[in-house]
Amino acid sequence: MSPAGLYLSVPFCRAKCSYCNFASDAFGPARMDAYVDRLCEEIAQAPAKASGMGATLPRDVDSVYFGGGTPSLLSAVHFQRIFEALQAVFSLQTDVELTLECAPGQLADDTLAELLRHGLNRVSLGVQSFVDQESRAVGRFHTKDVCLAEIARLRSAGVQEINVDLIAGLPHQTHESWRISLEQAAAADVPHVSVYMLEVDEESRLGRELIAGGVRYHAHHVPDDGLVAEMYLEACEFLGNNGIPQYEISNFARPGHASRHNLKYWKRLPYLGLGLDAHSMLGGWRFQNTDDLNAYLEGKAAPDPVVVTPHEALEEEVFLGLRLNEGILLPEDGPVVPVLQQLVREGLMQLQGERIALTPKGRLLSNDVFTELLGAGAFSL
Ligand code: SF4
């Protein structure tokens, strides 16, 4: 049985960024204490929950990922309790990849020390931009100098696996300023960079303002879609030319530094999500927790688990596999084959020996490609 990955969601932030569409918010210390209580309870109940649905929960764990939110805001005592709960249920492998998402400048010394004691070896920094005007405009608290100091501090504490998150499409961003962020990420010599394009939807203040055509939250300084697309393609080229090639639609890594945990999502390996709005895939089942904090704290029932049918499994294999630059094995037959061939002719996909993968243009338009595959009934069994 493959070892599992564990995702632990921590939905607390110092303040809500204008573009944020996650289930996260700013709450006081009492809420954090109650949340950690509930999280520890959920960890203890995980084996019974899995066996209740007929799924096997691996005891061996080779990746633990604290995401959010800003999990670096939890205290040393919180992490001590969470690790005690984890160790009572799971066996963390000696080479476990242990990642913490962290807002630059928001990780206390004693919290870092406690995490290092438990094997912290990877930190994902929510930089988003190395240009201070852009960070300020979306409500981030850090500056470029704080980000660089955080990278140096983590390295001297022994954490070498550092990811820098960047967003293309922030207010005030230009070709030139985007280049500054890319160059700074490469100059900082981090082994991993994630690049996201700004999402415009009704789940964020900035998204709502953009949809409404307003000017609050610097909405009138958001670059247009064409420029954002160019920035994304520039990131792919620039990072690749600087030794950080792309391996997934949004992720770039120096050789040997891809995220083990995130690869589980794209390769359909087992993972258990714990905490608010966390998703899981275990032994043919998918399930998720509620995204309502009060309901989660009260331990209210989450939506029922669903069995992944063979049809859905095939769809997932193709859609998730195509997110990776290595693509998928070219299917030998079935209705998917002519659709893939058409996408190759349109320059959205490319053949690589026995495999097929998205082209750079296909990665940019991946949602359209996936919609075309679905619309063509490409996965009828
Ligand atoms: S730090 Fe991250 S999770 Fe928190 S509000 Fe900002 S974008 Fe959202």
Side-chain angles (χ1 to χ4, degrees), residues 41 64 77 82 137 203 227 241 314 350 379:
E41 197 176 271
V64 178
V77 173
I82 292 170
E203 301 296 314
L227 180 50
N241 290 340
L314 177 61
Q350 57 195 338
F379 302 104

Side-chain angles (χ1 to χ4, degrees), residues 25-350:
D25 224 325
F27 294 103
R31 282 293 240 201
M32 290 199 194
D33 291 345
Y35 187 81
V36 171
D37 287 347
R38 176 71 193 109
L39 191 57
C40 292
E41 197 176 271
E42 193 192 358
I43 294 167
Q45 292 165 346
K49 180 175 174 180
S51 70
M53 71 178 76
T56 311
L57 177 62
R59 182 166 162 74
D60 282 342
V61 164
D62 66 352
S63 72
V64 178
Y65 193 107
F66 289 96
T70 310
S72 55
L73 290 177
L74 291 186
S75 69
V77 173
H78 288 144
F79 278 113
Q80 186 187 0
R81 293 191 49 215
I82 292 170
F83 276 99
E84 274 168 17
L86 290 176
Q87 279 149 1
V89 174
F90 299 104
S91 169
L92 272 51
Q93 292 188 344
T94 46
D95 69 338
V96 66
E97 178 189 86
L98 207 165
T99 304
L100 175 77
E101 283 185 357
C102 175
Q106 296 184 34
L107 174 61
D109 285 342
D110 58 344
T111 300
L112 175 58
E114 180 66 22
L115 283 161
L116 289 169
R117 212 167 65 74
H118 294 287
L120 178 73
N121 49 26
R122 189 167 184 276
V123 169
S124 179
L125 282 175
V127 171
Q128 319 310 355
S129 169
F130 281 106
V131 177
D132 294 349
Q133 180 195 26
E134 295 168 12
S135 308
R136 251 196 327 270
V138 292
R140 307 291 295 195
F141 292 100
H142 57 253
T143 59
K144 176 186 94 169
D145 290 346
V146 167
C147 295
L148 296 179
E150 196 73 279
I151 291 170
R153 172 192 182 217
L154 289 166
R155 282 200 176 119
S156 64
V159 180
Q160 304 303 329
E161 298 297 325
I162 298 173
N163 170 61
V164 161
D165 275 351
L166 296 176
I167 295 181
L170 294 177
H172 301 289
Q173 221 164 31
T174 63
H175 258 310
E176 293 68 35
S177 72
W178 179 237
R179 188 77 178 192
I180 290 171
S181 283
L182 293 174
E183 285 174 353
Q184 188 60 76
D189 204 21
V190 289
H192 197 288
V193 179
S194 300
V195 175
Y196 302 100
M197 288 187 280
L198 182 76
E199 282 185 30
V200 178
D201 61 34
E202 293 187 342
E203 301 296 314
S204 74
R205 283 176 291 149
L206 178 57
R208 284 192 292 277
E209 194 67 10
L210 282 164
I211 291 167
V215 299
R216 291 184 302 165
Y217 314 118
H218 304 257
H220 52 317
H221 292 298
V222 168
D224 65 35
D225 290 351
L227 180 50
V228 175
E230 284 172 24
M231 288 176 186
Y232 172 78
L233 292 174
E234 186 183 355
C236 299
E237 193 182 332
F238 177 89
L239 293 171
N241 290 340
N242 283 275
I244 318 175
Q246 185 175 31
Y247 69 99
E248 192 269 346
I249 288 177
S250 304
N251 288 284
F252 304 75
R254 296 186 191 278
H257 295 274
S259 159
R260 180 191 289 175
H261 184 83
N262 288 341
L263 280 169
K264 287 183 188 291
Y265 301 144
W266 305 313
K267 296 192 174 224
R268 302 187 73 249
L269 294 169
Y271 58 88
L272 177 68
L274 298 150
L276 190 73
D277 200 26
H279 294 232
S280 305
M281 194 194 75
L282 276 186
W285 290 90
R286 280 195 179 275
F287 49 98
Q288 68 187 81
N289 282 343
T290 173
D291 63 358
D292 177 324
L293 182 59
N294 289 327
Y296 177 74
L297 291 177
E298 288 162 18
K300 287 201 178 141
D304 285 338
V306 292
V307 182
V308 182
T309 64
H311 176 92
E312 288 162 345
L314 177 61
E315 270 185 16
E316 286 184 3
E317 238 167 72
V318 173
F319 288 155
L320 296 172
L322 284 175
R323 292 190 63 92
L324 295 167
N325 283 43
E326 67 182 32
I328 56 170
L329 275 176
L330 186 60
E332 284 177 12
D333 50 30
V336 72
V337 174
V339 187
L340 291 173
Q341 287 166 340
Q342 176 59 27
L343 289 164
V344 171
R345 283 192 291 277
E346 290 171 17
L348 296 166
M349 302 199 75
Q350 57 195 338

Side-chain angles (χ1 to χ4, degrees), residues 13 15-17 19-20 22 24 68-70 140:
C13 297
K16 190 85 175 163
C17 303
Y19 60 82
C20 181
F22 301 139
S24 67
T70 310
R140 307 291 295 195

